[in-house]
Amino acid sequence: MMSKSYIRTLVKNCMALIAIALMFIAPQNAIAAERRPVIPAHGQPILVGNMHGSDWRVASNDSKQAYCQEAFAAFRGSAAQSYIISHNIQSLSPEGLCDRMDQYYSLEEYADDRLGSAAAIAPILFADTPLGTKY
């Protein structure tokens, strides 16, 4: 006859094995959904992360919004964002990200920075400044 502690241990081990198996069997689209680029309206150029601030400054609002939607999705999918406790960053939207990037690139010293870097830094750097601020 098996003891109760042996049965409990056996059940716990089986549950752990099932949990591990489910992690490998679970559909991967729940973890990393397929991203489709957002195309700006009216044939505007597509902004990408390796472009620079000068490209951002001359881009149309449609191109900026399309870039911010993709950058925002990447930011929300990153592990780093879960460590940021600022309410202004946690309540960030794609439009807010664009505003923060406008603030970032309104400073001349950041004009040569790549868009990918600005998208990561600007929300943190300008978290407590009013939206629409230009320097």
Side-chain angles (χ1 to χ4, degrees):
M1 187 165 183
M2 294 187 213
S3 69
K4 287 184 180 182
S5 64
Y6 177 77
I7 293 174
R8 286 184 191 146
T9 305
L10 184 63
V11 169
K12 285 181 184 179
N13 288 340
C14 287
M15 296 289 281
L17 286 174
I18 291 170
I20 291 170
L22 286 175
M23 286 191 316
F24 289 107
I25 296 172
Q28 295 300 314
N29 62 356
I31 298 168
E34 179 184 337
R35 299 290 313 149
R36 292 188 186 101
V38 177
I39 306 298
H42 311 295
Q44 297 296 324
I46 297 173
L47 295 173
V48 293
N50 63 356
M51 293 176 143
H52 297 277
S54 56
D55 300 309
W56 179 265
R57 287 181 174 180
V58 299
S60 70
N61 192 44
D62 286 341
S63 294
K64 289 179 179 181
Q65 289 298 320
Y67 178 80
C68 288
Q69 288 178 10
E70 288 299 307
F72 179 76
F75 173 71
R76 284 294 181 225
S78 73
Q81 74 90 30
S82 65
Y83 292 103
I84 300 170
I85 59 172
S86 168
H87 170 71
N88 291 338
I89 295 174
Q90 288 299 325
S91 63
L92 189 68
S93 67
E95 294 78 19
L97 176 60
C98 275
D99 185 78
R100 300 300 187 212
M101 289 183 67
D102 282 338
Q103 289 180 21
Y104 186 83
Y105 286 126
S106 71
L107 295 167
E108 198 61 40
E109 64 212 49
Y110 298 129
D112 292 331
D113 289 359
R114 293 177 186 249
L115 298 182
S117 296
I121 297 168
I124 298 165
L125 189 61
F126 298 103
D128 296 324
T129 59
L131 293 177
T133 302
K134 302 290 186 276
Y135 298 96

